[in-house]
Amino acid sequence: MTKRCKFFYAICQVLLKHQGPIHEFTLSMRANGSCVEIDHILLNLARRNTVKKLKLDLNGEYKLPVSLFSLHRLTDLQLKDCYLACDPSFNGFGSLTVLYPEGLIIDENRLLRLLSSCPLLKRLTLGHGMTILYDVEGSTIVDLFGCVPVIEYLYVVVFGLEDFLPKRLPKKLPTSLVHLKYLCVTVDTLCFTNIYGLPFLALLFRSSPNLETVKLVMWGEEPYVDEDDLGSFTLDDYSDITLEHLKEFEILDFTDSENELDFVRLILAKSPVLKKMTVTPHYFFDKDEESVSEVSEILFCSPCASPVVEIIVGRYKSNYWCPW
């Protein structure tokens, strides 16, 4: 018997002999394509239907079986490096509050269906290492935010450009994210050198009136954008944004563009209870000490709504992942 067979045999034996409920289950291994042994394990868990926290780290392209969607008592689901295709009869995870997909392969429409079927979802980490199979003529990122009305913690990694063009973005989401307190956005192609990134952030800030912590990671290079797609969007369109509850704001890979500096100054002017603002320059920009000092001086002299805010400009050891 191979080590792999012994491994699965041991798991199955434990599951068969265990008489009580199983509330948490974690499986970490490499699994490509199909794996009958994992299918059997998930089927066993589905028949018990007691699991509340499930973590699968499969380091491959394993296709999750339909039995996964029978785990209706799940409150915390973490999926890494696998393929998810929703069962047509799937009615949702009615108790799920935490969803953490990483390295997941999923169709765009199925992703929207999954999110919309989790009415209690409060924590979502979406996009890190994911492959989302987009329908070019289909939904935009706006539809994604519309699926999580009670979200409190949101970490999203976004890549495409089309979703951020002003012509495809409304001024506000159909439903405000009134519960959202912690927002982290890491964007591959979103930078402020081109102004097209601003409408996306305006949409999020306008629709999230109770934000307390915001972290922006802008590590993409400036892409080419047709001026006809940019529209007439300017920073003046931010004038109605209120950040009455924002306490901490951080922006990583600051590039010293005019739009970016004006945006950071706007945050200062719109945040009356802000306690800490951290601006971490891009490593190319950080080499120019004179420019960093100039940015610091500009921010320190800018209008500020908060009398107690601490402004930090300069590189320091920071984690690209969200603190939550």
Side-chain angles (χ1 to χ4, degrees), residues 10-18 22 25 41 44-45 48:
I11 294 177
C12 290
Q13 288 300 304
V14 171
L15 291 177
L16 288 173
K17 293 180 179 180
H18 183 76
I22 298 175
F25 186 86
I41 291 173
N44 184 295
L45 295 175
R48 293 170 181 264

Side-chain angles (χ1 to χ4, degrees), residues 118-144:
C118 304
L120 301 181
L121 196 61
K122 295 181 179 180
R123 293 174 179 256
L124 174 63
T125 299
L126 185 64
H128 189 76
M130 289 183 62
T131 299
I132 302 176
L133 306 176
Y134 284 101
D135 175 4
V136 177
E137 300 298 327
S139 306
T140 69
I141 200 167
V142 174
D143 299 278
L144 183 153

Side-chain angles (χ1 to χ4, degrees), residues 40 79 82 187 202 210 223 233 246 259 280 283 294 296 300 314:
H40 287 165
L79 302 173
C82 50
V187 192
N210 296 312
F233 189 92
L246 187 63
N259 293 326
T280 304
Y283 69 94
E294 183 179 346
S296 299
F300 292 147

